[in-house]
């Protein structure tokens, strides 16, 4: 049996660490990034406005908003950032749209 290359052994070590982490076993040096999943319907409902009002206020096509809310389309990173900003600064963003 031939020896494993350095790259292959590094990959295997990383996979084993990922498996330990997935099982809840602490792994020294592993850094995690938690990604906040923004939900357009929750953002809109937090503002207590209709789809039509949200669409008009923030310049998002109504069909796009409906597709997001119904899960027919995924939200890209830019749109997710915009929705998070709307959640935090709705008045400022509405003012910037006019």
């Amino acid at each position: 049996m031939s020896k494993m290359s350095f790259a292959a052994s590094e990959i295997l070590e990383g996979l084993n660490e990922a498996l330990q982490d997935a099982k809840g076993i602490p792994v020294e040096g592993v850094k995690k990034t938690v990604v906040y999943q923004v939900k357009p319907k929750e953002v809109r409902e937090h503002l207590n406005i209709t789809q039509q009002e949200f669409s008009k206020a923030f310049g998002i096509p109504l069909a796009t908003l409906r597709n997001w809310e119904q899960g027919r389309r995924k939200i890209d990173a830019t749109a997710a950032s915009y929705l998070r900003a709307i959640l935090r600064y709705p008045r400022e963003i509405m003012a910037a749209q006019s």
Side-chain angles (χ1 to χ4, degrees):
M1 201 185 276
S2 65
K3 285 187 171 183
M4 191 180 308
S5 71
F6 177 75
S9 66
E10 290 291 307
I11 291 169
L12 184 58
E13 182 181 338
L15 290 171
N16 284 325
E17 288 174 352
L19 182 59
Q20 286 179 319
D21 182 62
K23 290 178 179 179
I25 301 168
V27 180
E28 187 177 332
V30 170
K31 295 180 182 178
K32 292 184 183 182
T33 302
V34 177
V35 178
Y36 171 69
Q37 296 294 324
V38 63
K39 296 179 181 172
K41 186 173 183 176
E42 289 178 8
V43 173
R44 182 179 59 77
E45 288 177 343
H46 177 76
L47 299 175
N48 199 30
I49 59 178
T50 66
Q51 287 180 331
Q52 292 80 6
E53 292 167 332
F54 192 89
S55 171
K56 185 175 179 180
F58 300 109
I60 298 171
L62 184 57
T64 299
L65 179 61
R66 286 181 174 155
N67 284 332
W68 287 344
E69 287 192 8
Q70 295 171 8
R72 290 191 298 256
R73 296 277 185 209
K74 288 186 177 182
I75 300 169
D76 65 23
T78 303
S81 293
Y82 185 46
L83 290 169
R84 281 192 293 274
I86 290 169
L87 189 58
R88 285 186 161 184
Y89 308 105
R91 290 186 190 109
E92 293 85 346
I93 295 173
M94 279 188 228
Q97 293 297 320
S98 52

